């Protein structure tokens, strides 16, 4: 392919066909990947490559390794094809894809307004730059072994590799590799920062490339709507087979997303975007509830909010089904013991949970894919909003491997966590045996008095919660005669221990944990339920929650989150007509985060069970959600039949929200199974602040230069004996020299460090009485201009409420 928008029609599966010369009636799997996925699949590419042509062998060896040059991307095709059967991978014009969202508006506006005359109208904008742009898990060839896969090639100008892995119905395998290049004779490439801060003025490099054999002279135009651009229009001359770098100054005034459009005559135009961060201290007001009726809430916004920083967001959660779908996709990313246990439990119970919530197709597929040796007869890609069963199966495999690692020599607490998740897979012999072994270990740890675990320094409250966790784990293994006998014996002794210690249960969290274990019945259950009901509190909007009292810990000795306590309250009070379980469920939905769930694996396990048990009713085919401030509509959105399967997020600018205002969230029609979370955010000016002996000062370079190291000096006065954390905000394009940070660790001045875009974090050892702290580290600026740093903070790890702040500084970088 000569350039994006052209057509590629190559028979690159000839090498595959040569290895499968006697096979007919085959299936094809095609996928196009970027750089990261190429490294992941490198080993399988070589294993299935067969004996390709010499050039294909060379390509396969490079697959999965670092590239010899920048910009090479990957197209992977895993296919089953017939001998010598050509398959055409047709590249559809990527420029026709134009842009999406805000980028689409910019590209369209630039063409329609004719700012560059005829050239602007004739220059489509490149704005689609995914790294993974095609994944075809099943491509069936025709009788002659040929198949055609239409491909929309991204706007990235680079070389792509195409990997074909093939297998026949009889099990024969082979593979081959080819490549194609997406480029233009001349093109433009603005070098954008990862971010800017409001008020920054940066010299932005714009690279112009010429791949032809003659020099090129053309107009260069850079536009940034919402920002001031100096030197954005000029004429550039690029030598043959050469490049030039031009600079434009961009000044951004307000936070938000900024799109940059750079056009080179009539030959190329590119649209890219980056965020502009606020320079102020973030403040946040949140509320939550259900949409069983219009909800009016009073929120007090910051009166000194910086211009452009006020925003409002409302997220609507479609009951148990939507949350379950998201958790099935995200659970496998967790690697701690509690997270792995949650991932196993979720995958094992997913079929019955999905069936209970009205989705049978994914439930059947998950049941087949989670059973060893079974696969769907004809797997098909999921419909929009449906569970991707192949992703769930991959996640289950990862969780199983991690569970086996955690189970090599587990303590009782870890065994109790993992047992229930492993036992949720009775058809998987590996997990079933693992769960039975872990449950037996937990049962053997029961003490003669009926409690489980315990140790030096344990409180009675922690011991009771740990006993409840052990009871859940042992009861989960009651599927065999031996497991039932063991569970009955364990539960009887645990029930006696809990009843004897009833008078020592002083808080709602512990009472809820004992109820959720299933080990209490009769009058003891009624007494504990009354205690949980009395401990439940309400927020202004009506949502209910179970607070965690000071000093209360979970079985691991950590402080439980409010979400975990609230979920336990739902499970403890299920079936109690006097309990506000629906309002407790509303609080759970409001605290749900699509990526992190409810936080820890322990909280996720309990909260998901609570949500699914509460919100089983199917939702209407279409629901309109409206957000108003003082009777004026700020934003609105509509769920359709497919979007109801997901979490909807509505976000809008909200200038003028300072002070007290009435916000109303309503659903049309009203739906009890819809939960919402409303967040009003703003940024206010930073002020110097010191607390409880925590004082921090920061000295930044006064004359920094691009590409040259400069020093940052941090000084702190701290109380003795406290581990501390310093977080220093850096301007855009300023990178930390890691060698200087490692030197601080070796000198013993800091315990560890971490870096991210716009900040570096230092963890300090506890200091002696009167012992000051001072550290210097090097930074290297990569952008010139007047750039705002971020605020710096000093915080005690044991007292996160005590924080000392230093306002941001302005860097002048030449």
């Amino acid at each position: 392919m000569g350039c994006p928008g052209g057509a590629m029609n190559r028979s690159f599966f000839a090498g595959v066909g040569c290895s499968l010369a006697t096979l007919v009636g085959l299936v094809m799997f095609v996928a196009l990947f970027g750089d990261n996925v190429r490294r992941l699949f490198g080993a399988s590419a070589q294993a299935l490559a067969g004996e390709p042509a010499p050039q294909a062998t060379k390509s396969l060896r490079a697959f999965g390794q670092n590239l010899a040059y920048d910009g090479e991307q990957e197209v992977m095709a895993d296919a089953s094809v017939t001998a010598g059967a050509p398959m055409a991978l047709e590249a559809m014009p990527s420029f026709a894809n134009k842009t999406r969202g805000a980028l689409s508006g910019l590209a369209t506006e630039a063409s329609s307004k004719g700012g560059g005359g005829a050239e602007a109208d004739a220059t489509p904008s490149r704005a689609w730059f995914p790294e993974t742009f095609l994944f075809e898990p099943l491509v069936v060839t025709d009788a002659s072994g040929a198949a055609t896969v239409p491909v929309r090639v991204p706007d990235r100008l680079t070389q792509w590799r195409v990997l074909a892995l093939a297998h026949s119905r009889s099990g024969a395998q082979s593979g081959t590799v080819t490549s194609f290049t997406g480029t233009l004779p001349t093109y433009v490439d603005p070098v954008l920062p990862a971010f800017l801060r409001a008020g920054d003025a940066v010299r932005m490099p714009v690279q112009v490339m010429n791949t032809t054999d003659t020099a090129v002279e053309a107009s260069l135009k850079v536009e940034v709507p919402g920002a001031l651009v100096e030197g954005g229009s000029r004429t550039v001359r690029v030598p043959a087979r050469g490049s030039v770098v031009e600079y434009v100054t961009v000044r951004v005034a307000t936070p938000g997303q900024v799109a940059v459009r750079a056009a080179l005559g009539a030959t190329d135009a590119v649209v890219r975007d980056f965020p502009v961060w606020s320079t102020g201290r973030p403040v946040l007001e949140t509320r939550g509830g259900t949409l069983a009726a219009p909800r009016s809430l009073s929120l007090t916004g910051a009166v000194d909010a910086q211009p452009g920083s006020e925003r409002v967001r409302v997220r609507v959660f479609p009951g148990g089904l939507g949350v379950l779908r998201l958790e099935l996709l995200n659970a496998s990313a967790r690697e701690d013991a509690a997270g792995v246990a949650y991932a196993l439990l979720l995958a094992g119970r997913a079929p019955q949970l999905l069936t209970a919530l009205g989705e049978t197709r994914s439930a059947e597929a998950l049941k087949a894919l989670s059973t060893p040796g079974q696969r769907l007869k004809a797997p098909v890609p999921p419909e929009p909003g449906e569970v991707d069963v192949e992703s769930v199966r991959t996640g289950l495999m990862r969780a199983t491997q991690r569970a086996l690692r955690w189970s090599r020599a587990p303590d009782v607490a870890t065994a109790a966590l993992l047992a229930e998740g492993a036992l949720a897979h009775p058809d998987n012999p590996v997990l079933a045996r693992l769960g039975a072994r872990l449950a037996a270990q937990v049962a053997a740890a029961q003490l003669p008095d009926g409690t489980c675990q315990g140790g030096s320094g344990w409180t009675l409250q922690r011991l009771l919660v740990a006993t409840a966790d052990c009871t859940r784990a042992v009861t989960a293994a009651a599927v065999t005669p031996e497991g039932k006998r063991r569970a009955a014996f364990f539960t009887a002794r645990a029930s006696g221990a809990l009843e004897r210690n009833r008078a020592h249960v002083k808080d709602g969290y512990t009472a809820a944990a004992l109820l959720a274990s299933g080990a209490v019945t009769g009058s003891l259950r009624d007494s504990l339920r009354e205690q949980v009901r009395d401990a439940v509190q309400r927020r202004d909007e009506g949502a209910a929650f179970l607070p965690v009292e000071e000093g209360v810990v979970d079985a691991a000795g950590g402080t439980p989150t409010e979400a975990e306590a609230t979920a336990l309250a739902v499970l403890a009070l299920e079936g109690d007509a006097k309990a506000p379980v629906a309002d407790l469920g509303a609080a759970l939905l409001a605290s749900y985060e699509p990526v992190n769930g409810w936080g820890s694996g322990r909280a996720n396990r309990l909260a998901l069970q609570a949500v699914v048990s509460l919100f089983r009713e199917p939702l209407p085919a279409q629901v309109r959600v409206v957000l108003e401030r003082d009777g004026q509509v700020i934003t609105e959105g509509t769920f359709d039949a497919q979007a109801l399967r997901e979490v909807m997020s509505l976000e809008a600018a909200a200038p003028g929200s300072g002070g007290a205002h009435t916000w109303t969230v309503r659903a049309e029609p009203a739906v009890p199974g819809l939960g919402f979370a409303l967040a009003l955010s703003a940024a206010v000016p930073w002020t110097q602040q010191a607390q409880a002996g925590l004082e921090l000062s920061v000295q930044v370079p006064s004359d920094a230069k691009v590409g040259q190291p400069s020093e940052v000096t941090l000084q702190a006065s701290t109380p003795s004996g406290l581990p501390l954390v310093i977080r220093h905000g850096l301007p855009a394009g300023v990178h930390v020299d890691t060698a200087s940070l490692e030197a601080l660790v070796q000198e013993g001045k800091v315990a560890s460090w971490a870096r991210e875009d716009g900040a570096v974090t230092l963890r300090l050892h506890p200091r002696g009485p009167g012992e000051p702290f001072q550290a210097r580290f090097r930074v290297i600026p990569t952008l010139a201009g007047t750039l705002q740093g971020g605020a710096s903070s000093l915080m005690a790890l044991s007292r996160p409420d005590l924080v000392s702040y230093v306002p941001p500084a302005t860097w002048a970088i030449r």
Side-chain angles (χ1 to χ4, degrees), residues 375-744:
R375 293 189 63 86
L376 292 179
K377 294 181 179 179
V380 293
E383 296 294 330
E386 287 190 333
V387 175
D388 186 344
V389 292
E390 286 288 353
S391 297
V392 176
R393 181 174 184 269
T394 302
L396 175 59
M397 293 172 61
R398 294 196 192 103
T400 301
Q401 293 169 352
R402 293 166 182 163
L404 293 174
R405 288 198 299 268
W406 278 106
S407 302
R408 289 171 182 168
D411 55 18
V412 177
T414 301
L417 280 174
L418 294 172
E420 191 175 3
L423 289 166
H425 301 268
D427 296 326
N428 187 314
V430 174
L431 290 176
R433 287 195 297 268
L434 174 64
R437 174 171 66 83
L438 294 173
Q441 178 183 349
V442 174
Q446 190 177 33
L447 301 175
D449 65 354
T451 60
C452 184
Q453 301 187 58
S456 177
W458 279 52
T459 63
L460 179 59
Q461 179 268 324
R462 179 182 177 186
L463 180 62
L464 294 177
V465 173
T467 302
D469 279 5
C470 290
T471 304
R472 292 171 61 95
V474 175
T475 304
V479 293
T480 63
E482 173 62 19
K484 292 177 181 178
R485 184 199 63 79
R486 186 170 53 216
F489 183 70
F490 188 99
T491 302
R493 298 175 68 185
S495 178
L498 301 181
E499 188 166 358
R500 288 193 303 272
N501 291 284
R502 170 65 183 92
H504 300 287
V505 180
K506 304 294 186 180
D507 66 285
Y509 172 82
T510 304
L514 302 188
L515 285 165
S517 71
V520 294
T521 58
S523 60
L524 177 58
R525 180 188 61 188
D526 296 338
S527 174
L528 290 173
R529 279 187 170 181
E530 183 179 0
Q531 182 173 355
V532 175
R533 290 197 304 267
D534 292 343
V536 168
Q537 297 181 12
R538 289 187 177 274
R539 293 193 170 90
D540 295 339
E541 72 279 2
F545 67 99
L546 181 64
V548 179
E549 298 181 12
E550 185 175 356
V552 171
V553 297
D554 58 21
T559 301
T561 63
E562 185 181 291
E564 180 182 342
T566 303
L568 275 174
V570 173
L571 298 175
L573 299 175
E574 191 173 5
D576 186 348
K578 301 178 182 178
V581 289
D583 294 333
L584 290 168
L588 282 179
L589 288 176
S591 61
Y592 176 76
E593 292 287 343
V595 175
N596 297 319
W598 288 274
S600 68
R602 187 187 302 270
N604 282 329
R605 179 186 59 178
L606 298 170
L608 186 69
Q609 291 176 356
V611 167
V612 171
S613 68
L614 283 173
F615 302 108
R616 293 182 180 272
E617 295 298 322
L619 299 175
Q622 195 171 73
V623 180
R624 179 170 174 256
V625 178
V626 181
L627 174 65
E628 298 177 345
R629 184 185 65 192
D630 298 333
Q632 300 295 318
V633 175
I634 299 298
T635 184
E636 62 180 87
T638 301
F639 278 129
D640 58 24
Q642 292 180 343
L644 279 170
R645 305 171 185 270
E646 303 170 354
V647 174
M648 183 176 75
S649 181
L650 303 174
E651 186 171 350
S657 295
H661 294 273
T662 298
W663 295 81
T664 301
V665 185
R666 69 174 188 270
E668 300 173 353
V671 182
L674 284 179
F676 75 91
L678 176 66
L680 177 64
S681 62
V684 300
W686 287 97
T687 57
Q688 186 85 27
Q689 178 180 342
Q691 291 191 29
L694 296 176
E695 294 185 9
L696 177 66
S697 64
V698 179
Q699 182 178 349
V700 301
S702 58
D703 187 22
K705 297 180 180 179
V706 171
Q708 297 186 11
S710 299
E711 272 197 347
V712 173
T713 302
L714 303 177
Q715 292 181 317
S717 298
T718 65
S720 62
L722 291 179
L724 303 166
V725 174
I726 294 178
R727 189 176 190 273
H728 173 57
L730 295 169
V734 174
H735 300 285
V736 181
D737 176 38
T738 58
S740 64
L741 295 178
E742 283 297 330
L744 293 177

Side-chain angles (χ1 to χ4, degrees), residues 41-285:
F41 280 90
S44 63
Q46 293 177 345
L48 297 179
E51 298 180 0
Q55 65 271 22
T57 303
K58 180 178 180 180
S59 297
L60 279 171
R61 289 175 180 169
F63 189 85
Q65 301 173 0
N66 292 330
L67 301 176
Y69 55 92
D70 293 334
E72 181 175 344
Q73 301 295 319
E74 194 68 29
V75 180
M76 175 178 165
D78 186 352
S80 292
V81 295
T82 316
M87 188 195 87
L89 197 66
E90 297 181 353
M92 300 172 63
S94 62
F95 287 161
N97 189 31
K98 288 285 185 176
T99 57
R100 293 175 172 82
L103 300 185
S104 177
L106 177 59
T108 305
E109 180 183 1
S111 297
S112 62
K113 57 159 116 155
E119 287 184 351
D121 291 335
T123 309
S125 297
R126 294 186 289 116
W128 185 46
F129 304 102
E131 186 174 329
T132 299
F133 68 95
L134 178 68
F135 190 86
E136 288 289 345
L138 181 68
V139 178
V140 181
T141 65
D142 59 20
S144 63
T148 298
V149 180
V151 177
R152 185 183 299 277
V153 179
D155 294 329
R156 191 186 302 271
L157 303 181
T158 185
Q159 182 170 350
W160 299 90
R161 288 188 175 184
V162 185
L163 168 65
L165 300 179
H167 65 87
S168 71
R169 289 176 178 172
S170 61
Q173 299 178 348
S174 185
T176 191
V177 171
T178 191
S179 63
F180 65 91
T181 301
T183 187
L184 290 168
T186 56
Y187 57 90
V188 60
D189 186 16
V191 182
L192 304 187
F195 68 93
L196 289 178
R197 288 188 172 92
D200 282 354
V202 62
R203 290 188 70 220
M204 183 180 297
V206 181
Q207 187 175 27
V208 183
M209 301 289 296
N210 178 12
T211 65
T212 68
D213 294 326
T214 58
V216 172
E217 186 172 297
S219 63
L220 173 65
K221 186 172 185 179
V222 179
E223 300 173 295
V224 187
L228 179 63
V229 180
E230 298 177 6
S233 297
R234 66 188 69 177
T235 299
V236 296
R237 180 178 176 82
V238 190
R241 300 290 175 181
S243 65
V244 297
V245 177
E246 300 289 332
Y247 290 89
V248 298
T249 300
V250 177
R251 301 179 185 273
V252 292
T254 58
Q257 201 72 11
V258 170
V260 177
R261 184 180 191 271
L264 180 65
T267 61
D268 185 33
V270 62
V271 178
R272 295 180 181 271
D273 67 336
F274 63 88
V276 177
W277 297 350
S278 174
T279 57
R281 177 173 63 86
V283 292
L284 185 68
E285 284 276 335

Side-chain angles (χ1 to χ4, degrees), residues 326-349:
L326 286 174
E327 284 301 283
L328 282 170
L329 293 177
N330 298 327
S332 63
R334 299 177 173 91
E335 299 186 11
D336 60 298
V340 171
Y342 168 62
L344 287 176
L345 183 66
L346 180 62
R349 294 187 176 176

